Structure formats: C-alpha cells, structure tokens
Amino acid sequence: MRRYLRVVVLCLACGFCSLLYAFSQLAVSLEEGAGGGGWKPQAAAASWLADGGRGVGRGAGSAGPAARPGRSDRYSLKIEPPEKMHLAVVACGERLEETLTMLKSAIIFSIKPLQFHIFAEDQLHDSFKDRLDSWSFLQTFNYTLYPITFPSENAAEWKKLFKPCASQRLFLPLILKEVDSLLYVDTDILFLRPVDDIWSLLKKFNSTQIAAMAPEHEEPRIGWYNRFARHPYYGKTGVNSGVMLMNMTRMRRKYFKNDMTTVHLKWGDILMPLLKKYKLNITWGDQDLLNIMFFHNPESLFVFPCQWNYRPDHCIYGSNCQEAEDEGIFILHGNRGVYHDDKQPAFRAVYEALRNCSFEDNNIRSLLKPLELELQKTVHTYCGKIYKIFIKQLMKSIQDRYDRPPKER
C-alpha cells in the first residue's frame, strides 16, 4: 500500500513540474511574439523615420549586427532613434552654390544623421529646396529653411553690421529654442572629416564651457586682434567664429559678466547693449562681439586647434598650424573668397573637387588622384608648397568611409 502511495505522489510531482515548464515556455514565446526581445536592424531606422527624418542612410546609426544586445538584456531594451547632429548656416547673396558644396561635404563623410538649419534670404529658398530635395534618396539628412530675422526694434542696425546676414548667428540660441546643441559654420566651410568628430567635442566641455572656437591666429606677429583691435578680445590673438560649436541650452541659461553693468546679463539681454557700446570700434561685426563676450567670460569657451578651422592665414606667409602639418586639415575655411579667385589656388582646388563630386561611392573614391594633381600645380604659393596637408585627412576619411567593407564601417 505504501509503495502504491509513493508511486502516485511521484507521478503527481512529475506532472506538476511538466506543467510548470510548459507554462514558462508559453510565456516566453508570447513575450517574444509581442516584440519584447526581438531586436531587428531596421527597428532603429523605423524609429528615426517616425521622428520626421529621412531614415538612417549608408553606414549611419547603430543598426548593425555589432549593435545587437546580449540575450541577458533583451527584455529591457529600449530602441532609441540615432542622435541627430544639428548644423546651422546663414546664406545670403551669391552664396547658394558655396553653401550647397559645404552641405555636400558634411553629408559625404558623416555617420550619424544630420539636421540642417538653413537661414537664407527669401529669394534663395526655392533653389535650396530644389537641390536638397534632389538629394533625398540619400536618406541621411533632414533640413529646415528659415527666413533671415532680427529683433524688430533693432533690425536695421543688425542688418548693416559687417555683412547683411552675418549677425544672424548671434540669435540662433533664441530662435532654435528646442535645439540643445548646434554646430554653426560659415558658408565657405568644407568638411574633410565627419561632422561626428567635431560634434564629439561637446563631450569634452567642462561644466562651465558653453561654446568652442579656434584661435584667430597662431602667430601673433601676423595677428589682427593683437595689432589692431580697439576692443577687448579673447586670449592672445582672439577667436574666429566661422566654426562655432555651441551647447545652446547652457548659453540660454548663463548670466554673462560684462563691462557695461555690474549685473550679469543673459544671452538675449546682452547683445544690443554690446552693439551700442562698441559699434564704432568693431570691424568684424558679430565675431568681434563674441570676442568681447568671451574676454569677460573666458571660462565659458573651449578652444579647439587650428586644424578644425584652417584658413589662408595659416599658410599665406608660411605654415603656422602645426596640428594640420601633423594630422592634416579637418575643416577647410576659404574666407575672403579664395574658393572663387586665383589668390589661393590650393583652397580653390579642394573646393572645385568637392563641388563637382557626386554622391556615388566610386566617384568619391576617385576624387583624390585628380585633386592631388591639381594641388601639385599650386606649389608656387606658400599654401601649395604644403599641399599634402590638404589631402592627408581627406584620404583617411575616404578610406574609413568608403574603402572598408560595410560591416567594418
């Protein structure tokens, strides 16, 4: 009798364990079917599209096999859209083609999706829209067009400061209120490496820094600010605002020290008083105002090397940007119209190569050799004598972006 009872109890126990196992397997299959742990590469792209973008394009985002999470965290995974890098530019007059070439250079090498904020005169809007819409097959960027706008009570004064549209950049933190961080560039900028790399400098800001720029000069003997300025300026030679990386959330919150009042003023309150005090003493408009602001608030500025904003001044009288000699030029800045005249043919050669380049991979890969041949024709100039720094980083960017197999990019 006892043996019989033992057999019955053992059978019941086995049956109970089998039922528990069956229910646990059913629960897992239902959870996976509902999407709790089924991670797929296209999920990130779908999330990006839902955010109003045009998808994550070639080599962008983290939607590859290497990004797939381990099984241990599969049920807690939250799929986030790829971080967008915000880039702003202000275009007026004859700057349409130059601006489009700059945007093209940003698209060619960048990895994360780009959000362009384009401030332009009304007559340029249709042309921008036509060209940018023709690039939509790339699915790596989105854009918004804005009119040129200034505070209504002082619009006339801001418009005539230096150039008609130049001071628009001062108001970007106030206009783009929903944008946390932004890279502002002049129209005559060319990216020779991914925007991602300068964007990553935001993470190097300390707790007090709100913006990043490069020095105006490396060599004080040819510096403009230290020889001619009639107003305060940052550091030994001032800073150049043609490439300006901004944490705009911090800019909007900060109270700035100044030489007009003992009261610290916020960004929106300090601009007009600064202009009124210094308008007879400034030469380079908004850049001078930024120099004055960071003279009084030096702890707020992160200074990056000259290779991130390489201009003719760095080679016109001989090479004076050591970082560019070591690693190549990262961002080329063709100020003073050198892309369109014969004064600096090395700068013009790079501009023409990128302007005429299409987005096909093979076309991008093949631009280096013809460009090097053109640069070799410029060795009669100081900038041309060091022409290899114009293609050193460009060559690396093309190799990293287009020569590696897709899984390694």
Side-chain angles (χ1 to χ4, degrees):
M1 187 66 177
R2 288 180 180 177
R3 286 182 183 175
Y4 176 75
L5 288 173
R6 287 175 183 170
V7 171
V8 170
V9 170
L10 184 61
C11 290
L12 288 172
C14 290
F16 183 70
C17 290
S18 298
L19 284 172
L20 284 176
Y21 178 77
F23 279 121
S24 67
Q25 291 297 103
L26 178 62
V28 169
S29 64
L30 287 173
E31 188 169 5
E32 289 184 346
W39 196 95
K40 297 182 179 180
Q42 61 264 35
S47 185
W48 162 236
L49 286 166
D51 196 40
R54 290 179 173 160
V56 179
R58 182 179 54 226
S62 58
R68 294 179 182 176
R71 192 176 177 89
S72 61
D73 63 352
R74 66 192 298 179
Y75 303 121
S76 60
L77 176 67
K78 291 183 179 179
I79 299 171
E80 298 289 342
E83 177 193 12
K84 285 187 284 187
M85 300 179 294
H86 292 261
L87 187 150
V89 65
V90 181
C92 288
E94 303 298 319
R95 300 285 184 145
L96 173 69
E97 195 65 32
E98 191 175 83
T99 305
L100 289 166
T101 303
M102 179 275 291
L103 297 175
K104 183 193 291 186
S105 73
I107 294 168
I108 284 174
F109 299 117
S110 295
I111 300 167
K112 296 188 187 76
L114 290 155
Q115 173 68 46
F116 297 137
H117 301 273
I118 303 168
F119 291 79
E121 291 176 308
D122 293 345
Q123 64 267 27
L124 298 178
H125 281 217
D126 287 343
S127 297
F128 270 117
K129 189 174 185 304
D130 290 344
R131 290 285 291 277
L132 291 171
D133 285 350
S134 73
W135 298 350
S136 62
F137 68 93
L138 296 167
Q139 298 185 319
T140 55
F141 72 94
N142 202 352
Y143 72 94
T144 306
L145 285 164
Y146 305 83
I148 301 296
T149 54
F150 297 106
S152 56
E153 63 273 21
N154 306 112
E157 283 198 73
W158 289 115
K159 283 180 181 178
K160 64 184 180 183
L161 179 64
F162 186 46
K163 293 179 181 178
C165 297
S167 56
Q168 179 72 79
R169 83 181 86 181
L170 294 175
F171 300 95
L172 298 181
L174 308 177
I175 297 171
L176 304 176
K177 294 179 180 179
E178 303 304 314
V179 177
D180 174 67
S181 296
L182 182 76
L183 175 63
Y184 167 85
V185 295
D186 286 346
T187 61
D188 50 12
I189 290 295
L190 292 173
F191 292 95
L192 306 186
R193 69 180 293 173
V195 175
D196 307 63
D197 295 332
I198 190 170
W199 190 258
S200 69
L201 296 181
L202 287 164
K203 296 178 181 178
K204 295 188 177 183
F205 284 17
N206 65 27
S207 60
T208 66
Q209 290 166 338
I210 65 172
M213 289 184 276
E216 174 71 11
H217 290 283
E218 300 299 307
E219 175 50 67
R221 287 176 296 179
I222 61 171
W224 193 90
Y225 282 110
N226 55 292
R227 293 189 297 160
F228 305 117
R230 295 178 294 159
H231 58 79
Y233 55 87
Y234 179 89
K236 292 182 179 180
T237 59
V239 286
N240 184 278
S241 60
V243 180
M244 185 175 179
L245 185 64
M246 296 178 275
N247 182 322
M248 297 206 300
T249 298
R250 290 185 181 183
M251 292 175 80
R252 288 185 286 261
R253 291 174 180 170
K254 182 176 174 60
Y255 287 86
F256 292 84
K257 300 187 289 291
N258 60 85
D259 59 359
M260 300 169 293
T261 173
T262 57
V263 177
H264 294 186
L265 300 174
K266 297 188 79 171
W267 187 269
D269 300 322
I270 199 172
L271 295 174
M272 197 61 214
L274 267 184
L275 178 60
K276 286 182 177 179
K277 178 171 182 177
Y278 287 104
K279 65 181 178 180
L280 298 179
N281 295 326
I282 58 177
T283 302
W284 309 112
D286 55 305
Q287 178 173 289
D288 291 347
L289 295 181
L290 290 169
N291 267 280
I292 296 167
M293 292 174 74
F294 287 111
F295 169 84
H296 292 292
N297 301 270
E299 76 287 349
S300 298
L301 188 65
F302 178 98
V303 180
F304 48 66
C306 48
Q307 65 199 120
W308 291 105
N309 186 354
Y310 191 91
R311 289 165 288 115
D313 292 315
H314 291 118
C315 57
I316 191 170
Y317 302 117
S319 181
N320 60 64
C321 178
Q322 186 61 49
E323 291 86 352
E325 289 187 48
D326 295 340
E327 301 180 271
I329 298 168
F330 295 170
I331 295 178
L332 193 68
H333 186 175
N335 61 334
R336 303 195 189 101
V338 296
Y339 293 151
H340 314 293
D341 59 31
D342 297 322
K343 293 178 181 177
Q344 293 297 335
F347 281 75
R348 183 168 185 170
V350 178
Y351 174 78
E352 292 294 336
L354 287 169
R355 184 176 72 89
N356 295 325
C357 180
S358 66
F359 289 107
E360 285 76 21
D361 289 8
N362 289 334
N363 193 285
I364 295 168
R365 287 191 193 99
S366 62
L367 72 80
L368 281 172
K369 191 61 179 176
L371 174 58
E372 186 171 8
L373 292 174
E374 285 300 313
L375 287 169
Q376 288 172 356
K377 299 175 184 178
T378 71
V379 294
H380 61 284
T381 67
Y382 281 114
C383 294
K385 286 178 181 177
I386 52 171
Y387 74 86
K388 289 186 178 179
I389 72 170
F390 287 80
I391 56 174
K392 191 172 187 177
Q393 180 59 46
L394 188 60
M395 183 183 300
K396 184 178 184 302
S397 296
I398 291 174
Q399 289 173 346
D400 289 347
R401 191 74 175 83
Y402 295 96
D403 289 349
R404 292 180 181 179
K407 289 185 179 180
E408 296 180 14
R409 292 177 186 169

